Amino acid sequence: MFLIPLLVFPFIFAAAAYRLYTVPRQYIAGNLRLARPGLTLRTSLTAGAYLGLLAYLVALPVLAVKALALGPLNLETWLGIGPALAVFPVAYIAAEWTFYYGFQRPSGHARHSHTG
């Protein structure tokens, strides 16, 4: 049950780290703006999704290092953090969904670039 999410975990982890790096850069550059400026539920959810994904991204390596410190072959420890690792892709997709509706591109910028 946890095998497929654990296999895609490194790719999702890298995508989340990249997204957490690019969102502030795009926002500062003016390529992204909040869909509803001001203190709204959508803005709060967008900020919460960013901070939640950031906290999750920091917590997972800490948990892995703790598990390795207790012994790399300690199965009970790895089974304890296994669900947190397996649920990370779902948390990433939820954050991306929130970003999709929480941010918008300024007029003149296409949401999806088409080449060719």
Side-chain angles (χ1 to χ4, degrees), residues 5-83:
L6 290 176
L7 290 176
V8 299
F9 175 78
F11 302 108
I12 301 294
F13 190 85
Y18 179 75
R19 186 69 164 153
L20 289 172
Y21 172 74
T22 60
V23 164
R25 292 177 50 91
Q26 289 177 341
Y27 187 77
I28 291 169
N31 295 332
L32 283 179
R33 65 178 183 199
L34 292 170
R36 306 237 174 156
L39 188 59
T40 63
L41 180 61
R42 187 180 293 186
T43 303
S44 300
L45 288 174
T46 303
Y50 184 85
L51 293 174
L53 189 61
L54 180 62
Y56 208 162
L57 196 75
V58 170
L60 287 179
V62 171
L63 286 174
V65 167
K66 268 175 99 172
L68 287 173
L70 293 175
L73 298 178
N74 189 348
L75 184 61
E76 183 179 324
T77 305
W78 285 106
L79 288 176
I81 67 169

